[in-house]
Amino acid sequence: MKKILITGAAGFLGSHLSDRFVKEGYKVIGMDNFITGDMKNISHLKNNPNFEFINHDVTEYIKIEGDLDYILHFASPASPIDYLKIPIQTLKVGSLGTHNLLGLAKAKKARMLIASTSEVYGDPLVHPQTEDYYGNVNTIGPRGVYDEAKRFQESITMAYHRFHGLETRIVRIFNTYGPRMRLNDGRVIPAFMGQALRGEDLTVFGDGSQTRSFCYVDDQVEGIYRLLLSDYVEPVNIGNPHEISIKDFAEEIIKLTGTNQKIIYKDLPVNDPMQRQPDITLAKKLLGWEPKVDRAEGMKITYNYFKNLTEDELYKSEHKDFTSYINK
Ligand code: NAD
Ligand code: UDP
């Protein structure tokens, strides 16, 4: 039985990846320190003999008994509000955490895949974004802590590959959504859905002309699964190229939820990318992968998930309290 360590397992993507690898017959070790994650996302795996959970901060030395075949490094704050609130932890998990995991992968002769992001392209000047575009990132802006952590993560991963011959994979994930996103993480989909469900106006930042391209989580997981098992070392974009402006997206959400909310406009966050759309030619050619779930279908499933949250969860709109982690 192949053994895989998944960091960030109590988060949105990490929990879906844990499900997928358990389903594929792997022994999964999930690791998380809950800074942005939630035990609820993996509670259904608790009694599964092929799932083990370790509560650990990956920026500290990591000890795993026995063999390990694969590592998926998905631990990192991932929403702009999260990484603005915990900037140092964001930098540390991308740098120190990645270094620890690469060291572990080397010791165990394991293959390691890192979760990179479209944010390495910054506010892109090339459209759509291909993997050979170097990006347009403001290193000292508020988003720089995330973007540069992810860029460093790619560099150190390639260095371990080139210098130590470690087997590595890099996925550049574009905006992905689905059940188990945190309602109050500030990302646009949970934000709009929470607002619609609470009967609040939808907050569009800027004039809403900025674009994003949203990928449903099952498609993302399939792309990551195929990339891990491929023999390709350089970064691969995984995302859905179907692009939409945030204003049009807000209108879609109002139609989907059947609510009569108004759209209200708020300031655009600093360095908010104006356009984002993956070029997935490489993933198609290399992995035979392309997204299968269109936005209408994916949003319906996601809305049903949010609709079934308890009143308590729905109205607990305050952002997560990070105090205990910050004072550590
Ligand atoms: P998430 O916040 O739901 O999950 C991240 C998980 O990592 C959380 O459970 C958190 O507690 C854990 N974590 C953070 N720091 C840790 C540490 N030091 N030690 C142990 N655990 C730690 O976010 P997500 O959307 O699931 O993102 C997962 C990964 O995918 C991140 O690396 C993110 O950068 C990347 N990514 C996600 C998207 C997306 O659209 N969801 C897009 C691009 C990249
Ligand atoms: N956004 C918005 N209203 C919100 C939350 C986000 O208009 O309540 C915008 C945000 O400014 C960005 C886009 O939606 O242009 C996507 O934001 P998100 O935080 O989901 O991810 P990003 O792609 O910026 O990392």
Side-chain angles (χ1 to χ4, degrees), residues 142-162:
R143 295 175 89 104
V145 295
Y146 182 67
D147 301 6
E148 291 303 332
K150 291 292 185 181
R151 289 165 70 101
F152 174 85
Q153 186 181 41
E154 290 196 3
S155 301
I156 192 171
T157 298
M158 286 308 291
Y160 265 71
H161 170 70
R162 293 194 179 111

Side-chain angles (χ1 to χ4, degrees), residues 11-13 32-33 35-37 57-58 74 146 150 176 187:
F12 163 53
L13 289 179
D32 207 291
N33 69 347
I35 189 165
T36 61
D57 179 342
V58 299
F74 276 67
Y146 182 67
K150 291 292 185 181
T176 299
R187 285 186 271 195

Side-chain angles (χ1 to χ4, degrees), residues 80 143 175 186-188 191 203-205 210 212 246 269 272 276:
R143 295 175 89 104
N175 296 62
R187 285 186 271 195
V188 68
T203 53
V204 165
F205 298 162
Q210 72 272 31
R212 291 297 184 272
I246 296 300
D272 195 290
R276 187 181 286 154

Side-chain angles (χ1 to χ4, degrees), residues 208-225:
S209 62
Q210 72 272 31
T211 69
R212 291 297 184 272
S213 310
F214 298 110
C215 181
Y216 186 64
V217 62
D218 289 358
D219 285 331
Q220 183 62 245
V221 165
E222 181 64 32
I224 292 166
Y225 181 76

